[in-house]
Amino acid sequence: MRTVVPVFAICAVAATLAPAFGQTPAASPYLSVLGIVEKVDPAGKVISVKPTKGDPTTVKFDERTTFLKMPAGETDMKKATPSSVADLAAGDSVIARVLTADPTGKPARTVYIEKAAELAQRRDKTQEEWKTATSGLISSIDGNTIRMMARVAGSPAPKEVAVEVGPKVDVTRYNPENGKYEESTLASIKTGDQLRVLGEKNADSTQIKATDVGAGTFKTIALLVKTIDPAANQIAGTDPGTKQPVTVRLRPDTSLKKFNDMSAMMVARQLNPTLAQAGGGRGGGRGAAGGGAPPAEGGGGGAPAAGGGARTGGGGRGRGMDVGKIIEQQPSIQLADLKPGDALIVNIALGSDPAKPYAIGVVAGVEPILRAAPNSGPDPLAGSWNMGGGGGEP
């Protein structure tokens, strides 16, 4: 179930048909062209295609070309039904079986079609399905079994969930460079990743036979702003716990929110009921600028939830409080609204340059929360809140 790569399902068909298309046996006379239709010229008998990789190309057809329609998302070629070029339009996804020796000069033998409208409907359905996904932080991987700590229905605290990932499971991984989930493999998933899972659960949801999984390397950090660079769309500052410099890059879809005073104090008191009486957080009322502990690593990030947010399932909920919903209710702000000295909680996605991670979500007005955060042990904020932004559903 892919929502960010329109031709994903049809690519899976291509993989299944690869031996026939000549992608495995080098001597085969056929290969496949996969991509999105840009234009259909019935009179000239030419289809203009934007491949999933490479430059635009053309596919010729004639009266001997077979057109077959695939149900959106289907990978079993036996479920294809007869169609015609009249059913093909711009925006549709295709796999065209063409001659290796002359792929653009000779007519295609077979053209498989996935309709754009059906793909869009499937994306909408998939987004609803992902709202029911189980999310958690991966603790171990043993063969095709992934174990993660996740919050399950009826449990006040995270529990270990065993996820079976079979050979036909759809696997995607979040790419911070483009903000999308992309086709991947089980081998790309590692301990410490956040995982979202769809599949068949047992009675207490501690075992899942996966049908779809989406993984990514996410982290929640505290950040004291030093400089704001609107031109580069990034924030530089320091981690108040480690005192190390941190620079985060923002994407166009990065969510920026700011707690109002009442909401921030409400969350802070859930984390530390003695906050009001003590006049500050643990450690003698140290604020964020004075070295208060940031949210603990390893539970704050997660695979994007509905609407593109980053939701986790591996941490606590601050005495049952849904911090994610509270954050969603806070007002949005602009990068220009931040200033040096502000304290932030940032949900980041780690990519090719760990020194400059991408921010999925940024929340300001968090000074009371950072003062209240425990100086040791898991932070109750970790794994419980939804930042918005990010890359959409796996």
Side-chain angles (χ1 to χ4, degrees):
M1 295 183 182
R2 309 291 193 242
T3 64
V4 294
V5 184
V7 295
F8 184 84
I10 207 163
C11 287
V13 177
T16 303
L17 301 178
F21 284 171
Q23 293 176 336
T24 301
S28 173
Y30 294 101
L31 57 81
S32 62
V33 175
L34 296 77
I36 303 297
V37 175
E38 294 187 319
K39 181 181 179 181
V40 181
D41 180 2
K45 296 186 182 301
V46 175
I47 305 168
S48 299
V49 179
K50 172 59 178 174
T52 53
K53 294 182 179 180
D55 297 326
T57 187
T58 57
V59 173
K60 290 186 176 181
F61 62 92
D62 60 17
E63 63 279 357
R64 293 172 296 179
T65 301
T66 299
F67 288 86
L68 296 171
K69 181 181 175 182
M70 293 290 295
E74 184 56 63
T75 60
D76 184 355
M77 58 186 173
K78 294 180 181 179
K79 295 184 180 180
T81 56
S83 185
S84 70
V85 68
D87 196 31
L88 191 61
D92 292 343
S93 298
V94 294
I95 299 175
R97 184 180 181 182
V98 297
L99 283 171
T100 304
D102 193 359
T104 60
K106 297 294 184 180
R109 177 177 177 180
T110 308
V111 176
Y112 291 86
I113 306 168
E114 271 190 321
K115 297 297 296 178
E118 294 179 7
L119 288 169
Q121 291 175 356
R122 185 175 178 83
R123 283 194 292 270
D124 292 342
K125 180 180 178 181
T126 299
Q127 288 178 354
E128 291 300 314
E129 291 176 342
W130 276 107
K131 291 179 182 179
T132 68
T134 302
S135 305
L137 184 70
I138 297 176
S139 55
S140 67
I141 302 175
D142 183 8
N144 69 338
T145 299
I146 299 175
R147 297 186 183 279
M148 66 180 185
M149 296 303 296
R151 188 170 297 278
V152 298
S155 175
K159 299 180 68 173
E160 184 178 79
V161 176
V163 180
E164 179 185 342
V165 184
K168 294 185 178 181
V169 171
D170 289 341
V171 178
T172 54
R173 186 169 188 84
Y174 184 72
N175 180 357
E177 302 298 326
N178 60 21
K180 297 180 179 180
Y181 275 79
E182 299 176 336
E183 180 183 2
S184 190
T185 63
L186 177 60
S188 73
I189 301 176
K190 58 186 181 296
T191 301
D193 281 349
Q194 292 286 341
L195 191 73
R196 298 198 78 214
V197 182
L198 290 177
E200 183 180 346
K201 305 176 184 178
N202 66 349
D204 63 359
S205 299
T206 57
Q207 296 181 21
I208 304 176
K209 188 174 182 180
T211 57
D212 302 78
V213 298
T217 304
F218 301 88
K219 183 179 177 183
T220 300
I221 63 171
L223 179 67
L224 286 178
V225 177
K226 185 176 181 180
T227 61
I228 305 291
D229 187 344
N233 208 29
Q234 65 184 27
I235 304 171
T238 57
D239 182 321
T242 66
K243 308 300 183 183
Q244 295 298 310
V246 179
T247 298
V248 296
R249 295 176 285 180
L250 278 64
R251 297 185 49 79
D253 56 359
T254 298
S255 171
L256 287 91
K257 296 277 190 175
K258 184 174 182 178
F259 270 113
N260 60 48
D261 293 343
M262 182 180 296
S263 295
M265 187 56 66
M266 180 172 61
V267 173
R269 287 173 178 167
Q270 287 287 339
L271 300 183
N272 182 0
T274 66
L275 179 66
Q277 290 86 349
R282 299 183 186 186
R286 291 182 298 169
E297 176 182 349
R311 185 183 299 277
T312 66
R317 286 187 180 269
R319 294 177 177 266
M321 177 181 291
D322 191 337
V323 183
K325 289 184 178 180
I326 295 176
I327 291 177
E328 290 173 357
Q329 295 168 357
Q330 303 309 303
S332 297
I333 59 174
Q334 303 297 318
L335 183 59
D337 295 326
L338 300 177
K339 60 184 184 301
D342 283 347
L344 311 174
I345 292 177
V346 186
N347 188 221
I348 59 175
L350 302 179
S352 58
D353 185 358
K356 289 187 176 182
Y358 282 96
I360 293 177
V362 177
V363 180
V366 298
E367 285 82 352
I369 297 172
L370 295 182
R371 288 197 298 269
N375 287 337
S376 62
D379 177 7
L381 271 181
S384 66
W385 44 292
N386 186 342
M387 295 288 289
E393 299 300 337

